[in-house]
Amino acid sequence: QPMAIGDHNKYLPIRLEIIRIRRYNKRYIAPADAGEAWKKGRNMKKSIRGILLLAACTVFFAGCARSKGSWEAFTENTLYVAGDGSVSWASVESFGEGDYKEEELKAFAGERISQFNQSQGEEPAFESEKGAEKLPVALDTVSMKDGRAVLVTEYDTPSRLVEFSQDIGDEGMPFDSIDIGSPASLALKEQTSYLDTEGKAADQQEILKETGLAVRVSGQGVISAEKKIRYISEGCTLRDVHTVETASEGVSCIILE
């Protein structure tokens, strides 16, 4: 079940490491009696990083109707499917005042991502370079505001998201498998019941002729898509034309424009 904003019992695996981060990354924590010059220097560094993150965030959310161009719309763990079929994962958790800082979250997430990428034979990096080949996993956005932390990661393949989540022990990942391709190749042929966005039964043969994207997942979670949803398999709950909650059991299939 996707983690809701108010659920204080489930946190990102990263949250479990906050004490360790504070021990080994003290450079990210400002002393209580820090002078103004020190604070200004730190804020300047944060501003430079913020510009880079803002650019990445703008690209990521530009086509997402649900987010209206902002990460603030994500209030629960969400699989985001871009128009080209690439995927990103938005991890969302609540946090209390003073729990941890944005720099700490980014530092630890970057460390875990770098370690994973290196295990895949890539450079130990956590941010993709413009024009370079995609990293297996890359950190897209880290945001903390109004008691909500949002960490967005992107992947070179849909299955990599599941692989990475299993590697770090992310209990907030609801999907056991994620596949994206053509409706003809991924639509559940044994699934006899599909619904359109108005809740009417759809002809399976017509679905197989669709030229858009098909998203097939195992597990119950929330999917947000850049393209509009045309059909959903039985058991899914349509929230709006860009957002769906998959079935509580078995495999779900979503057909996009």
Side-chain angles (χ1 to χ4, degrees):
Q1 192 74 7
M3 180 181 68
I5 271 275
D7 188 354
H8 294 278
N9 297 319
K10 292 183 180 179
Y11 289 90
L12 296 175
I14 295 168
R15 178 68 182 89
L16 301 177
E17 303 282 349
I18 293 305
I19 295 177
R20 188 180 73 79
I21 297 170
R22 283 178 171 165
R23 243 175 232 171
Y24 293 98
N25 294 280
K26 292 182 182 298
R27 64 184 180 278
Y28 292 107
I29 304 176
D33 59 347
E36 288 301 315
W38 189 92
K39 289 181 180 179
K40 287 181 180 179
R42 188 190 70 160
N43 289 337
M44 183 177 293
K45 292 178 181 178
K46 286 178 65 178
S47 296
I48 294 172
R49 286 196 299 267
I51 292 171
L52 298 177
L53 286 173
L54 179 60
C57 188
T58 301
V59 172
F60 175 70
F61 287 110
C64 181
R66 178 169 177 260
S67 71
K68 304 296 183 183
S70 171
W71 54 261
E72 293 179 357
F74 288 97
T75 58
E76 59 192 319
N77 292 347
T78 303
L79 170 64
Y80 179 81
V81 181
D84 62 359
S86 60
V87 300
S88 296
W89 176 249
S91 294
V92 183
E93 70 161 301
S94 302
F95 68 92
E97 185 68 27
D99 274 357
Y100 54 95
K101 300 177 183 295
E102 185 174 309
E103 294 94 335
E104 295 173 325
L105 184 58
K106 181 181 179 182
F108 183 71
E111 179 185 346
R112 296 297 296 272
I113 292 171
S114 295
Q115 290 173 352
F116 178 83
N117 286 339
Q118 189 171 29
S119 74
Q120 303 300 306
E122 301 292 340
E123 292 295 321
F126 65 91
E127 291 180 315
S128 294
E129 296 183 8
K130 185 177 180 180
E133 186 177 347
K134 269 189 173 184
L135 291 170
V137 184
L139 182 61
D140 188 319
T141 304
V142 179
S143 299
M144 298 181 71
K145 184 178 180 182
D146 300 328
R148 182 164 72 245
V150 181
L151 189 150
V152 180
T153 43
E154 58 182 18
Y155 302 83
D156 60 345
T157 64
S159 60
R160 190 81 70 185
L161 168 54
V162 177
E163 183 182 356
F164 178 67
S165 297
Q166 292 173 345
D167 183 78
I168 65 173
D170 185 0
E171 296 181 358
M173 168 54 62
F175 302 118
D176 298 320
S177 66
I178 304 171
D179 295 289
I180 296 179
S182 68
S185 64
L186 293 181
L188 304 174
K189 296 180 174 60
E190 72 279 7
Q191 182 80 45
T192 58
S193 180
Y194 279 87
L195 302 175
D196 62 19
T197 55
E198 296 181 353
K200 298 178 181 178
D203 186 332
Q204 187 184 103
Q205 295 305 312
E206 291 301 315
I207 290 174
L208 296 177
K209 296 176 184 177
E210 287 287 323
T211 58
L213 288 174
V215 181
R216 188 172 68 186
V217 300
S218 174
Q220 184 179 34
V222 177
I223 298 175
S224 179
E226 178 178 354
K227 293 187 174 182
K228 289 184 178 180
I229 296 169
R230 286 183 57 80
Y231 304 102
I232 58 175
S233 60
E234 184 178 17
C236 295
T237 302
L238 190 70
R239 294 186 178 180
D240 57 53
V241 294
H242 291 275
T243 313
V244 63
E245 182 175 3
T246 56
S248 59
E249 296 181 353
V251 178
S252 300
C253 193
I254 317 300
I255 310 299
L256 308 175
E257 285 185 343

